[in-house]
């Protein structure tokens, strides 16, 4: 197992994700435990890219409940349709928020968070089972490149877990 996740600076964001993906896959190997997979993926993404907050909310009954994450403490439960995460659950699709102050109903877990992207993890029946949430302390930090690669990671996790 690699001891550290390393990504070159000075290359494009897409190239950084291309470097990170095989490292995450090598890190988790054939592990199938949900906690181990989500925790390791959150840590690899968070420390690889230096995000402000990186983690997962899991669908448990009628709420999103905080799961494995890296970063400051965060809200533990989010209702269906509430905030960015609850909206992504309801709509079943990723959401990029360039400025959290402009997203109606955004749930502020930490005032330093300025932009975010959320990506749903779906099971084989297309039901949302978890949400990957990544926050930045910079405005406009995420774009369609992040969406493409984070969806690739989310789909890879979903296939293993759900
Ligand atoms: N901002 C999110 C809540 C989760 S935290 O950012 C970690 C939202 O509006 O759903």
């Amino acid at each position: 197992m690699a001891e550290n996740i390393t990504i070159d600076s000075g290359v494009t964001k897409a190239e950084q994700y291309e470097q990170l993906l095989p490292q995450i896959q090598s890190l988790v190997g054939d592990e199938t435990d949900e906690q181990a997979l989500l925790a390791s993926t959150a840590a690899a993404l968070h420390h690889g890219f230096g995000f402000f907050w990186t983690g997962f909310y899991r669908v448990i009954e009628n709420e999103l409940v905080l799961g494995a994450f890296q970063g400051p403490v965060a809200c533990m439960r989010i209702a269906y349709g509430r905030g960015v995460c609850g909206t992504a659950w309801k709509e079943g699709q990723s959401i990029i928020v360039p400025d959290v102050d402009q997203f109606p109903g955004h749930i502020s877990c930490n005032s330093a968070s300025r932009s975010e992207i959320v990506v749903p993890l779906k099971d084989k029946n297309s039901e949302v089972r978890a949400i990957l949430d990544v926050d930045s302390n910079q405005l406009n930090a995420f774009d369609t490149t992040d969406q493409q690669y984070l969806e690739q990671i989310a789909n890879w996790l979903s296939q293993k877990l759900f």
Side-chain angles (χ1 to χ4, degrees):
M1 188 187 98
E3 192 176 334
N4 287 310
I5 298 289
T6 55
I7 306 182
D8 293 336
S9 55
V11 298
T12 66
K13 189 189 282 184
E15 287 168 327
Q16 292 181 333
Y17 278 107
E18 295 284 355
Q19 290 181 8
L20 184 64
L21 292 175
Q23 294 185 68
I24 295 178
Q25 285 165 341
S26 152
L27 174 71
V28 305
D30 54 9
E31 180 59 61
T32 56
D33 179 77
E34 180 174 322
Q35 286 270 35
L37 279 168
L38 298 187
S40 296
T41 303
L45 275 170
H46 189 80
H47 294 286
F49 279 102
F51 294 134
F52 178 71
W53 194 93
T54 313
F56 293 90
Y57 284 89
R58 299 149 305 138
V59 173
I60 298 179
E61 296 176 358
N62 60 347
E63 284 183 309
L64 291 172
V65 182
L66 183 61
F69 74 96
Q70 297 272 317
V73 293
C75 322
M76 285 185 271
R77 290 177 185 265
I78 297 174
Y80 182 76
R82 292 283 316 282
V84 187
C85 294
T87 303
W89 176 18
K90 186 175 178 182
E91 295 181 352
Q93 54 191 5
S94 303
I95 301 176
I96 296 172
V97 181
D99 178 352
V100 297
D101 291 336
Q102 304 302 318
F103 188 96
H106 169 261
I107 299 166
S108 178
C109 299
N110 190 299
S111 58
S113 177
R114 308 293 302 283
S115 62
E116 68 179 275
I117 181 168
V118 303
V119 176
L121 279 65
K122 298 179 187 175
D123 65 19
K124 291 171 182 58
N125 298 318
S126 299
E127 295 289 325
V128 175
R129 300 288 296 275
I131 297 282
L132 168 59
D133 179 351
V134 184
D135 289 23
S136 172
N137 56 9
Q138 307 292 314
L139 285 171
N140 210 12
F142 304 105
D143 57 22
T144 53
T145 300
D146 298 283
Q147 180 176 343
Q148 176 194 329
Y149 284 101
L150 293 175
E151 285 179 353
Q152 192 175 326
I153 291 169
N155 292 339
W156 168 73
L157 286 169
S158 296
Q159 278 167 18
K160 282 184 169 292
L161 294 173
F162 311 125

